Amino acid sequence: MNNNLIEELKDVTILCVEDEDGIREFIVNTLKYYFKEVYEAKNGLEAYEIYEEYKPKIVLTDIEMPKVDGIELIKKIRKIDLDTMVIMLTAYSNEEYLMNLINLNVDHFILKPLNSKKLNEALNKYIERNFSEQILLHADLKLNLSKRELIYKDNEIIPLRKREQDFLYLLHKNKNSITSYEQIEVELWQDKFMTSHALKSFIKEIRHKIPINIIKNISQAGYILEKE
């Protein structure tokens, strides 16, 4: 991975779930090189509590664990969340077995034993899914996630700060619903407190930067993306 992509991962959070202490320690220490925050759990029960509190962007989990195994953990997560990337560690290569796991919307499988090459392949898949595409925000406006910029009428380039890009991407993901103030605080401010003044200043700045008004405020609720 090049330095720009590593820089993108440093703002991403990940949860590592593995019951064997030595393996978990190796994985966590490796992940800390890439990620802003690495959470860890030794079983699915503990992992789901961490997931509920911190909402990591990626869950990397073993399958066979005490109390609650990896399959049950992902079933619980997928009931409420289809966006979080799931990477499953498995000792099995049986095709029928893996097909059953695919039904859980598992994004990537790593066949044990885990090594740096396999881990990098999985992390690259996350990057490709989230940072290597152009998103149509409006007929005249595209968001390029890999370059962190807007493209207006296919010829004007508008550079974005990371929080600005994350906000526009969040509106796009929620294009059929309102993006609430609470969701904006969790996704963009993360572990910091978002004041109403800070949010208003942020929205004013990003509107000033964009040539067309695509951000619509829904009073006392949040924001939606206007495509027309």
Side-chain angles (χ1 to χ4, degrees):
M1 290 184 288
N2 63 43
N3 290 334
N4 289 336
L5 296 182
I6 290 175
E7 193 64 32
E8 293 289 357
L9 279 178
K10 285 184 177 178
D11 290 316
V12 176
T13 54
I14 187 169
L15 168 60
C16 172
V17 194
E18 168 62 59
D19 62 315
E20 295 188 35
D21 294 341
I23 296 176
R24 188 175 68 253
E25 183 178 354
F26 164 75
I27 299 173
V28 168
N29 287 337
T30 302
L31 294 174
K32 283 180 178 178
Y33 173 73
Y34 296 105
F35 292 92
K36 171 188 176 181
E37 194 73 55
V38 181
Y39 307 107
E40 56 180 295
K42 58 181 177 289
N43 59 63
L45 182 63
E46 185 179 289
Y48 191 72
E49 292 176 355
I50 294 172
Y51 163 80
E52 282 193 306
E53 182 172 359
Y54 296 105
K55 295 296 189 296
K57 301 294 185 183
I58 305 174
V59 175
L60 170 63
T61 180
D62 193 11
I63 293 179
E64 295 187 356
M65 296 180 294
K67 296 185 179 178
V68 174
D69 65 20
I71 292 176
E72 290 305 312
L73 168 65
I74 300 309
K75 282 181 179 179
K76 291 180 70 175
I77 290 175
R78 285 300 188 230
K79 285 181 179 178
I80 58 173
D81 178 0
L82 294 175
D83 291 329
T84 294
M85 181 175 185
V86 173
I87 303 171
M88 190 77 84
L89 288 169
T90 175
Y92 304 98
S93 58
N94 179 278
E95 185 175 340
E96 182 178 350
Y97 178 82
L98 294 179
M99 285 301 296
N100 289 332
L101 293 180
I102 290 173
N103 292 332
L104 295 177
N105 291 311
V106 175
D107 298 278
H108 191 79
F109 299 95
I110 297 179
L111 192 63
K112 289 186 173 182
L114 176 68
N115 57 40
S116 296
K117 181 180 178 181
K118 293 177 182 178
L119 182 59
N120 281 347
E121 287 175 355
L123 299 184
N124 268 313
K125 181 167 284 191
Y126 176 84
I127 290 168
E128 289 167 5
R129 191 182 80 173
N130 291 276
F131 299 107
S132 301
E133 57 182 320
Q134 285 191 2
I135 292 171
L136 189 66
L137 299 177
H138 181 275
D140 294 325
L141 196 65
K142 297 174 184 175
L143 174 63
N144 189 314
L145 293 171
S146 62
K147 295 183 179 180
R148 197 183 293 168
E149 62 188 21
L150 288 171
I151 305 168
Y152 179 55
K153 291 188 174 180
D154 292 326
N155 54 35
E156 182 181 345
I157 303 299
I158 304 164
L160 296 172
R161 292 179 297 165
K162 186 174 189 310
R163 183 174 285 175
E164 292 170 340
Q165 172 179 280
D166 290 346
F167 175 67
L168 293 173
Y169 183 53
L170 185 60
L171 291 183
H172 170 75
K173 286 200 301 181
N174 296 340
K175 57 189 174 184
N176 296 320
S177 60
I178 297 172
T179 299
S180 69
Y181 301 130
E182 292 79 11
Q183 191 174 7
I184 294 169
E185 181 173 15
V186 170
E187 295 284 343
L188 274 64
W189 267 254
Q190 297 177 355
D191 55 350
K192 297 178 182 178
F193 177 69
M194 181 189 75
T195 65
S196 58
H197 174 73
L199 178 60
K200 287 178 182 178
S201 296
F202 170 74
I203 297 297
K204 182 179 179 181
E205 289 176 8
I206 194 170
R207 278 177 169 158
H208 180 73
K209 183 175 285 191
I210 301 174
I212 49 180
N213 186 16
I214 61 169
I215 303 169
K216 181 179 180 181
N217 178 238
I218 306 300
S219 181
Q220 299 183 340
Y223 294 89
I224 60 172
L225 191 64
E226 284 198 313
K227 290 199 168 186
E228 299 299 333

